[in-house]
Amino acid sequence: MTMPERDEPTGALVRPYAVTRGRTRPKLEIALEALVETTVRGRSGMNRGGQGGSEHQYIAAMCDGGRVQSLAEIAARMQLPLGVARVIVADMATDGLVAVYEPTSLDDETDAVGTELLERVLSGLRRL
């Protein structure tokens, strides 16, 4: 006996959309490698069972106690699309529940040294 085909999306596909209330654009632009840390306000809200859903609580717990996580790590650990994780973290940052540390850009001299190093590494890999 064959199973009937389903045209409707499964719960796993609908849920991320529901978590962000249909939004696809974050309130803040956050880089993939940006580091996220729970703030004092986020900790106190988490302890009181405060605002936000289970995703907010999970992120607050994951990034608490000196365990700073990148946006990419948060998305991977929660098994959420990166865009969804970005919207959730941006909401939390706007509410003061997490602090987001964006990567700093290097000045031109340091950047040139970094580029040279990467080119040497790539050259060495090509010789292997």
Side-chain angles (χ1 to χ4, degrees):
M1 175 182 257
T2 61
M3 299 294 275
E5 290 188 31
R6 300 178 106 187
D7 290 332
E8 71 238 17
T10 64
L13 294 176
V14 174
R15 182 145 171 71
Y17 181 81
V19 167
T20 62
R21 294 181 211 96
R23 290 179 299 124
T24 58
R25 300 253 167 131
K27 294 177 182 177
L28 305 168
E29 284 302 316
I30 302 174
L32 177 70
E33 66 274 14
L35 299 177
V36 179
E37 180 180 30
T38 303
T39 62
V40 172
R41 182 175 181 187
R43 263 183 242 113
S44 66
M46 185 175 63
N47 292 336
R48 291 187 310 233
Q51 62 195 20
S54 60
E55 293 82 11
H56 288 81
Q57 292 174 358
Y58 187 81
I59 291 170
M62 187 186 332
C63 301
D64 192 23
R67 295 176 300 196
V68 180
Q69 304 283 319
S70 72
L71 177 63
E73 289 171 314
I74 292 169
R77 288 176 191 250
M78 294 185 72
Q79 298 180 346
L80 287 174
L82 184 59
V84 172
R86 185 175 273 137
V87 169
I88 296 170
V89 170
D91 288 350
M92 291 179 72
T94 301
D95 293 339
L97 302 175
V98 296
V100 177
Y101 304 103
E102 292 287 344
T104 57
S105 60
L106 302 171
D107 62 8
D108 292 337
E109 183 179 319
T110 307
D111 195 28
V113 171
T115 302
E116 181 182 327
L117 174 64
L118 288 174
E119 287 174 355
R120 288 191 312 213
V121 169
L122 183 58
S123 175
L125 289 172
R126 286 183 178 145
R127 285 186 292 223
L128 291 177

mmCIF file of all heavy atoms in Angstrom, residues 60-103:
data_model
loop_
_atom_site.group_PDB
_atom_site.id
_atom_site.type_symbol
_atom_site.label_atom_id
_atom_site.label_comp_id
_atom_site.label_asym_id
_atom_site.label_seq_id
_atom_site.Cartn_x
_atom_site.Cartn_y
_atom_site.Cartn_z
ATOM 1 N N ALA A 60 18.974 32.618 25.231
ATOM 2 C CA ALA A 60 19.491 33.262 26.449
ATOM 3 C C ALA A 60 20.308 32.271 27.272
ATOM 4 O O ALA A 60 21.381 32.623 27.773
ATOM 5 C CB ALA A 60 18.332 33.827 27.271
ATOM 6 N N ALA A 61 19.849 31.048 27.394
ATOM 7 C CA ALA A 61 20.585 30.029 28.159
ATOM 8 C C ALA A 61 21.871 29.634 27.443
ATOM 9 O O ALA A 61 22.913 29.440 28.068
ATOM 10 C CB ALA A 61 19.697 28.807 28.380
ATOM 11 N N MET A 62 21.809 29.533 26.119
ATOM 12 C CA MET A 62 22.969 29.118 25.323
ATOM 13 C C MET A 62 24.095 30.153 25.377
ATOM 14 O O MET A 62 25.274 29.793 25.350
ATOM 15 C CB MET A 62 22.523 28.919 23.861
ATOM 16 C CG MET A 62 23.581 28.340 22.971
ATOM 17 S SD MET A 62 23.126 28.262 21.197
ATOM 18 C CE MET A 62 21.373 28.131 21.164
ATOM 19 N N CYS A 63 23.756 31.424 25.472
ATOM 20 C CA CYS A 63 24.749 32.500 25.407
ATOM 21 C C CYS A 63 25.034 33.108 26.772
ATOM 22 O O CYS A 63 25.546 34.217 26.874
ATOM 23 C CB CYS A 63 24.260 33.588 24.456
ATOM 24 S SG CYS A 63 23.971 32.998 22.791
ATOM 25 N N ASP A 64 24.700 32.398 27.831
ATOM 26 C CA ASP A 64 24.859 32.908 29.189
ATOM 27 C C ASP A 64 26.128 32.365 29.845
ATOM 28 O O ASP A 64 26.669 31.353 29.411
ATOM 29 C CB ASP A 64 23.637 32.514 30.030
ATOM 30 C CG ASP A 64 23.576 33.240 31.349
ATOM 31 O OD1 ASP A 64 24.169 34.325 31.465
ATOM 32 O OD2 ASP A 64 22.922 32.722 32.272
ATOM 33 N N GLY A 65 26.566 33.029 30.872
ATOM 34 C CA GLY A 65 27.690 32.553 31.663
ATOM 35 C C GLY A 65 29.009 32.531 30.925
ATOM 36 O O GLY A 65 29.798 31.615 31.102
ATOM 37 N N GLY A 66 29.250 33.530 30.099
ATOM 38 C CA GLY A 66 30.520 33.604 29.376
ATOM 39 C C GLY A 66 30.585 32.712 28.145
ATOM 40 O O GLY A 66 31.620 32.614 27.511
ATOM 41 N N ARG A 67 29.500 32.066 27.798
ATOM 42 C CA ARG A 67 29.476 31.205 26.606
ATOM 43 C C ARG A 67 28.954 32.013 25.416
ATOM 44 O O ARG A 67 27.817 31.855 24.996
ATOM 45 C CB ARG A 67 28.588 29.985 26.844
ATOM 46 C CG ARG A 67 29.107 29.064 27.920
ATOM 47 C CD ARG A 67 28.150 27.963 28.144
ATOM 48 N NE ARG A 67 26.872 28.566 28.572
ATOM 49 C CZ ARG A 67 25.908 27.910 29.144
ATOM 50 N NH1 ARG A 67 26.013 26.638 29.369
ATOM 51 N NH2 ARG A 67 24.797 28.504 29.516
ATOM 52 N N VAL A 68 29.775 32.858 24.917
ATOM 53 C CA VAL A 68 29.414 33.693 23.777
ATOM 54 C C VAL A 68 29.333 32.804 22.537
ATOM 55 O O VAL A 68 30.194 31.965 22.315
ATOM 56 C CB VAL A 68 30.456 34.818 23.588
ATOM 57 C CG1 VAL A 68 30.111 35.692 22.414
ATOM 58 C CG2 VAL A 68 30.559 35.643 24.861
ATOM 59 N N GLN A 69 28.276 32.981 21.749
ATOM 60 C CA GLN A 69 28.057 32.167 20.554
ATOM 61 C C GLN A 69 27.913 33.075 19.330
ATOM 62 O O GLN A 69 27.382 34.175 19.441
ATOM 63 C CB GLN A 69 26.754 31.361 20.689
ATOM 64 C CG GLN A 69 26.675 30.476 21.908
ATOM 65 C CD GLN A 69 27.489 29.218 21.760
ATOM 66 O OE1 GLN A 69 27.508 28.607 20.701
ATOM 67 N NE2 GLN A 69 28.175 28.834 22.818
ATOM 68 N N SER A 70 28.343 32.602 18.189
ATOM 69 C CA SER A 70 28.130 33.363 16.957
ATOM 70 C C SER A 70 26.697 33.132 16.479
ATOM 71 O O SER A 70 26.046 32.147 16.860
ATOM 72 C CB SER A 70 29.112 32.939 15.867
ATOM 73 O OG SER A 70 28.777 31.652 15.378
ATOM 74 N N LEU A 71 26.219 34.027 15.651
ATOM 75 C CA LEU A 71 24.885 33.878 15.080
ATOM 76 C C LEU A 71 24.784 32.555 14.326
ATOM 77 O O LEU A 71 23.778 31.849 14.425
ATOM 78 C CB LEU A 71 24.571 35.060 14.154
ATOM 79 C CG LEU A 71 23.223 34.998 13.437
ATOM 80 C CD1 LEU A 71 22.079 35.035 14.440
ATOM 81 C CD2 LEU A 71 23.101 36.135 12.446
ATOM 82 N N ALA A 72 25.823 32.194 13.596
ATOM 83 C CA ALA A 72 25.826 30.937 12.840
ATOM 84 C C ALA A 72 25.705 29.726 13.769
ATOM 85 O O ALA A 72 24.986 28.771 13.471
ATOM 86 C CB ALA A 72 27.097 30.830 11.997
ATOM 87 N N GLU A 73 26.410 29.765 14.917
ATOM 88 C CA GLU A 73 26.332 28.664 15.875
ATOM 89 C C GLU A 73 24.930 28.548 16.462
ATOM 90 O O GLU A 73 24.413 27.444 16.642
ATOM 91 C CB GLU A 73 27.339 28.871 17.011
ATOM 92 C CG GLU A 73 28.773 28.689 16.588
ATOM 93 C CD GLU A 73 29.745 29.119 17.670
ATOM 94 O OE1 GLU A 73 29.561 30.196 18.265
ATOM 95 O OE2 GLU A 73 30.693 28.345 17.909
ATOM 96 N N ILE A 74 24.320 29.676 16.757
ATOM 97 C CA ILE A 74 22.965 29.674 17.311
ATOM 98 C C ILE A 74 22.004 29.028 16.322
ATOM 99 O O ILE A 74 21.209 28.161 16.680
ATOM 100 C CB ILE A 74 22.517 31.102 17.670
ATOM 101 C CG1 ILE A 74 23.336 31.619 18.846
ATOM 102 C CG2 ILE A 74 21.030 31.154 17.982
ATOM 103 C CD1 ILE A 74 23.173 33.102 19.126
ATOM 104 N N ALA A 75 22.085 29.443 15.061
ATOM 105 C CA ALA A 75 21.200 28.872 14.036
ATOM 106 C C ALA A 75 21.419 27.364 13.903
ATOM 107 O O ALA A 75 20.458 26.593 13.835
ATOM 108 C CB ALA A 75 21.439 29.563 12.692
ATOM 109 N N ALA A 76 22.675 26.937 13.901
ATOM 110 C CA ALA A 76 22.977 25.511 13.751
ATOM 111 C C ALA A 76 22.487 24.704 14.945
ATOM 112 O O ALA A 76 21.869 23.651 14.779
ATOM 113 C CB ALA A 76 24.484 25.322 13.563
ATOM 114 N N ARG A 77 22.750 25.190 16.146
ATOM 115 C CA ARG A 77 22.334 24.449 17.343
ATOM 116 C C ARG A 77 20.823 24.372 17.469
ATOM 117 O O ARG A 77 20.290 23.401 17.989
ATOM 118 C CB ARG A 77 22.933 25.078 18.593
ATOM 119 C CG ARG A 77 24.423 24.845 18.708
ATOM 120 C CD ARG A 77 24.978 25.579 19.910
ATOM 121 N NE ARG A 77 26.417 25.570 19.861
ATOM 122 C CZ ARG A 77 27.163 24.880 20.695
ATOM 123 N NH1 ARG A 77 26.620 24.159 21.629
ATOM 124 N NH2 ARG A 77 28.474 24.925 20.600
ATOM 125 N N MET A 78 20.131 25.404 17.019
ATOM 126 C CA MET A 78 18.669 25.406 17.105
ATOM 127 C C MET A 78 18.028 24.745 15.891
ATOM 128 O O MET A 78 16.816 24.604 15.843
ATOM 129 C CB MET A 78 18.164 26.839 17.253
ATOM 130 C CG MET A 78 18.576 27.467 18.568
ATOM 131 S SD MET A 78 17.866 29.092 18.788
ATOM 132 C CE MET A 78 16.149 28.674 19.076
ATOM 133 N N GLN A 79 18.845 24.392 14.914
ATOM 134 C CA GLN A 79 18.373 23.793 13.665
ATOM 135 C C GLN A 79 17.318 24.673 12.998
ATOM 136 O O GLN A 79 16.263 24.219 12.573
ATOM 137 C CB GLN A 79 17.845 22.380 13.905
ATOM 138 C CG GLN A 79 18.911 21.441 14.426
ATOM 139 C CD GLN A 79 18.407 20.042 14.678
ATOM 140 O OE1 GLN A 79 17.213 19.788 14.716
ATOM 141 N NE2 GLN A 79 19.335 19.123 14.836
ATOM 142 N N LEU A 80 17.658 25.969 12.934
ATOM 143 C CA LEU A 80 16.800 26.957 12.292
ATOM 144 C C LEU A 80 17.525 27.548 11.098
ATOM 145 O O LEU A 80 18.755 27.635 11.105
ATOM 146 C CB LEU A 80 16.480 28.106 13.257
ATOM 147 C CG LEU A 80 15.510 27.837 14.384
ATOM 148 C CD1 LEU A 80 15.448 29.045 15.312
ATOM 149 C CD2 LEU A 80 14.118 27.535 13.836
ATOM 150 N N PRO A 81 16.789 27.978 10.089
ATOM 151 C CA PRO A 81 17.434 28.709 8.997
ATOM 152 C C PRO A 81 18.109 29.962 9.551
ATOM 153 O O PRO A 81 17.625 30.568 10.521
ATOM 154 C CB PRO A 81 16.267 29.084 8.075
ATOM 155 C CG PRO A 81 15.182 28.114 8.405
ATOM 156 C CD PRO A 81 15.355 27.790 9.860
ATOM 157 N N LEU A 82 19.218 30.342 8.961
ATOM 158 C CA LEU A 82 19.988 31.486 9.430
ATOM 159 C C LEU A 82 19.147 32.759 9.486
ATOM 160 O O LEU A 82 19.236 33.532 10.437
ATOM 161 C CB LEU A 82 21.213 31.698 8.538
ATOM 162 C CG LEU A 82 22.161 32.796 8.954
ATOM 163 C CD1 LEU A 82 22.716 32.547 10.350
ATOM 164 C CD2 LEU A 82 23.290 32.916 7.965
ATOM 165 N N GLY A 83 18.314 32.977 8.491
ATOM 166 C CA GLY A 83 17.471 34.171 8.464
ATOM 167 C C GLY A 83 16.517 34.241 9.643
ATOM 168 O O GLY A 83 16.273 35.308 10.209
ATOM 169 N N VAL A 84 15.981 33.095 10.038
ATOM 170 C CA VAL A 84 15.061 33.043 11.181
ATOM 171 C C VAL A 84 15.820 33.343 12.467
ATOM 172 O O VAL A 84 15.377 34.139 13.296
ATOM 173 C CB VAL A 84 14.358 31.667 11.251
ATOM 174 C CG1 VAL A 84 13.552 31.530 12.538
ATOM 175 C CG2 VAL A 84 13.470 31.457 10.038
ATOM 176 N N ALA A 85 16.988 32.724 12.635
ATOM 177 C CA ALA A 85 17.804 32.988 13.826
ATOM 178 C C ALA A 85 18.198 34.454 13.879
ATOM 179 O O ALA A 85 18.195 35.066 14.956
ATOM 180 C CB ALA A 85 19.045 32.089 13.820
ATOM 181 N N ARG A 86 18.504 35.044 12.733
ATOM 182 C CA ARG A 86 18.898 36.460 12.684
ATOM 183 C C ARG A 86 17.745 37.355 13.158
ATOM 184 O O ARG A 86 17.961 38.297 13.917
ATOM 185 C CB ARG A 86 19.315 36.827 11.262
ATOM 186 C CG ARG A 86 19.856 38.221 11.131
ATOM 187 C CD ARG A 86 20.359 38.504 9.734
ATOM 188 N NE ARG A 86 21.741 38.061 9.645
ATOM 189 C CZ ARG A 86 22.264 37.400 8.625
ATOM 190 N NH1 ARG A 86 21.519 37.071 7.586
ATOM 191 N NH2 ARG A 86 23.528 37.052 8.621
ATOM 192 N N VAL A 87 16.521 37.051 12.746
ATOM 193 C CA VAL A 87 15.361 37.844 13.169
ATOM 194 C C VAL A 87 15.148 37.712 14.674
ATOM 195 O O VAL A 87 14.933 38.708 15.373
ATOM 196 C CB VAL A 87 14.088 37.418 12.389
ATOM 197 C CG1 VAL A 87 12.838 38.035 12.997
ATOM 198 C CG2 VAL A 87 14.203 37.807 10.922
ATOM 199 N N ILE A 88 15.235 36.492 15.199
ATOM 200 C CA ILE A 88 15.024 36.272 16.638
ATOM 201 C C ILE A 88 16.087 36.997 17.460
ATOM 202 O O ILE A 88 15.772 37.692 18.426
ATOM 203 C CB ILE A 88 15.019 34.766 16.965
ATOM 204 C CG1 ILE A 88 13.830 34.074 16.288
ATOM 205 C CG2 ILE A 88 14.982 34.543 18.475
ATOM 206 C CD1 ILE A 88 13.886 32.561 16.352
ATOM 207 N N VAL A 89 17.361 36.838 17.081
ATOM 208 C CA VAL A 89 18.455 37.479 17.830
ATOM 209 C C VAL A 89 18.338 39.002 17.729
ATOM 210 O O VAL A 89 18.557 39.709 18.717
ATOM 211 C CB VAL A 89 19.829 36.970 17.348
ATOM 212 C CG1 VAL A 89 20.960 37.799 17.931
ATOM 213 C CG2 VAL A 89 20.004 35.499 17.720
ATOM 214 N N ALA A 90 17.980 39.516 16.571
ATOM 215 C CA ALA A 90 17.811 40.970 16.419
ATOM 216 C C ALA A 90 16.686 41.474 17.319
ATOM 217 O O ALA A 90 16.818 42.536 17.951
ATOM 218 C CB ALA A 90 17.529 41.321 14.962
ATOM 219 N N ASP A 91 15.598 40.728 17.414
ATOM 220 C CA ASP A 91 14.504 41.102 18.323
ATOM 221 C C ASP A 91 14.996 41.129 19.762
ATOM 222 O O ASP A 91 14.696 42.047 20.521
ATOM 223 C CB ASP A 91 13.337 40.118 18.212
ATOM 224 C CG ASP A 91 12.553 40.264 16.922
ATOM 225 O OD1 ASP A 91 12.776 41.246 16.182
ATOM 226 O OD2 ASP A 91 11.709 39.384 16.651
ATOM 227 N N MET A 92 15.758 40.108 20.134
ATOM 228 C CA MET A 92 16.280 40.026 21.501
ATOM 229 C C MET A 92 17.244 41.168 21.786
ATOM 230 O O MET A 92 17.235 41.736 22.879
ATOM 231 C CB MET A 92 16.958 38.673 21.722
ATOM 232 C CG MET A 92 15.990 37.505 21.745
ATOM 233 S SD MET A 92 16.825 35.922 21.974
ATOM 234 C CE MET A 92 17.307 36.049 23.714
ATOM 235 N N ALA A 93 18.073 41.529 20.812
ATOM 236 C CA ALA A 93 19.017 42.636 20.983
ATOM 237 C C ALA A 93 18.265 43.959 21.127
ATOM 238 O O ALA A 93 18.622 44.793 21.973
ATOM 239 C CB ALA A 93 19.990 42.700 19.813
ATOM 240 N N THR A 94 17.228 44.142 20.351
ATOM 241 C CA THR A 94 16.414 45.353 20.436
ATOM 242 C C THR A 94 15.751 45.477 21.803
ATOM 243 O O THR A 94 15.628 46.572 22.348
ATOM 244 C CB THR A 94 15.338 45.355 19.328
ATOM 245 O OG1 THR A 94 15.987 45.283 18.063
ATOM 246 C CG2 THR A 94 14.482 46.599 19.374
ATOM 247 N N ASP A 95 15.356 44.333 22.381
ATOM 248 C CA ASP A 95 14.729 44.322 23.710
ATOM 249 C C ASP A 95 15.745 44.342 24.849
ATOM 250 O O ASP A 95 15.367 44.320 26.022
ATOM 251 C CB ASP A 95 13.833 43.083 23.853
ATOM 252 C CG ASP A 95 12.620 43.132 22.925
ATOM 253 O OD1 ASP A 95 12.248 44.240 22.484
ATOM 254 O OD2 ASP A 95 12.050 42.060 22.647
ATOM 255 N N GLY A 96 17.048 44.340 24.517
ATOM 256 C CA GLY A 96 18.083 44.385 25.538
ATOM 257 C C GLY A 96 18.347 43.058 26.225
ATOM 258 O O GLY A 96 18.957 43.016 27.289
ATOM 259 N N LEU A 97 17.901 41.959 25.630
ATOM 260 C CA LEU A 97 18.078 40.640 26.242
ATOM 261 C C LEU A 97 19.434 40.024 25.919
ATOM 262 O O LEU A 97 19.924 39.184 26.664
ATOM 263 C CB LEU A 97 16.960 39.701 25.791
ATOM 264 C CG LEU A 97 15.541 40.180 26.100
ATOM 265 C CD1 LEU A 97 14.508 39.232 25.497
ATOM 266 C CD2 LEU A 97 15.337 40.339 27.595
ATOM 267 N N VAL A 98 20.005 40.425 24.784
ATOM 268 C CA VAL A 98 21.337 39.961 24.399
ATOM 269 C C VAL A 98 22.146 41.147 23.884
ATOM 270 O O VAL A 98 21.585 42.137 23.410
ATOM 271 C CB VAL A 98 21.307 38.847 23.310
ATOM 272 C CG1 VAL A 98 20.644 37.584 23.815
ATOM 273 C CG2 VAL A 98 20.662 39.335 22.031
ATOM 274 N N ALA A 99 23.451 41.015 23.988
ATOM 275 C CA ALA A 99 24.368 41.989 23.393
ATOM 276 C C ALA A 99 24.972 41.330 22.164
ATOM 277 O O ALA A 99 25.311 40.146 22.191
ATOM 278 C CB ALA A 99 25.460 42.361 24.384
ATOM 279 N N VAL A 100 25.072 42.079 21.080
ATOM 280 C CA VAL A 100 25.641 41.574 19.834
ATOM 281 C C VAL A 100 26.939 42.312 19.574
ATOM 282 O O VAL A 100 26.968 43.542 19.544
ATOM 283 C CB VAL A 100 24.664 41.764 18.651
ATOM 284 C CG1 VAL A 100 25.292 41.304 17.351
ATOM 285 C CG2 VAL A 100 23.357 41.026 18.908
ATOM 286 N N TYR A 101 28.005 41.540 19.419
ATOM 287 C CA TYR A 101 29.324 42.106 19.147
ATOM 288 C C TYR A 101 29.681 41.837 17.697
ATOM 289 O O TYR A 101 29.988 40.708 17.327
ATOM 290 C CB TYR A 101 30.377 41.494 20.085
ATOM 291 C CG TYR A 101 30.021 41.658 21.541
ATOM 292 C CD1 TYR A 101 29.519 40.600 22.270
ATOM 293 C CD2 TYR A 101 30.166 42.896 22.164
ATOM 294 C CE1 TYR A 101 29.183 40.752 23.607
ATOM 295 C CE2 TYR A 101 29.828 43.064 23.502
ATOM 296 C CZ TYR A 101 29.334 41.981 24.210
ATOM 297 O OH TYR A 101 29.000 42.139 25.542
ATOM 298 N N GLU A 102 29.602 42.880 16.894
ATOM 299 C CA GLU A 102 29.909 42.753 15.471
ATOM 300 C C GLU A 102 31.419 42.652 15.275
ATOM 301 O O GLU A 102 32.181 43.251 16.032
ATOM 302 C CB GLU A 102 29.376 43.960 14.696
ATOM 303 C CG GLU A 102 27.867 44.034 14.635
ATOM 304 C CD GLU A 102 27.236 43.011 13.715
ATOM 305 O OE1 GLU A 102 27.951 42.419 12.868
ATOM 306 O OE2 GLU A 102 26.024 42.793 13.836
ATOM 307 N N PRO A 103 31.840 41.921 14.255
ATOM 308 C CA PRO A 103 33.283 41.851 13.981
ATOM 309 C C PRO A 103 33.792 43.230 13.571
ATOM 310 O O PRO A 103 33.092 43.987 12.908
ATOM 311 C CB PRO A 103 33.388 40.855 12.831
ATOM 312 C CG PRO A 103 32.029 40.827 12.214
ATOM 313 C CD PRO A 103 31.054 41.172 13.295
#
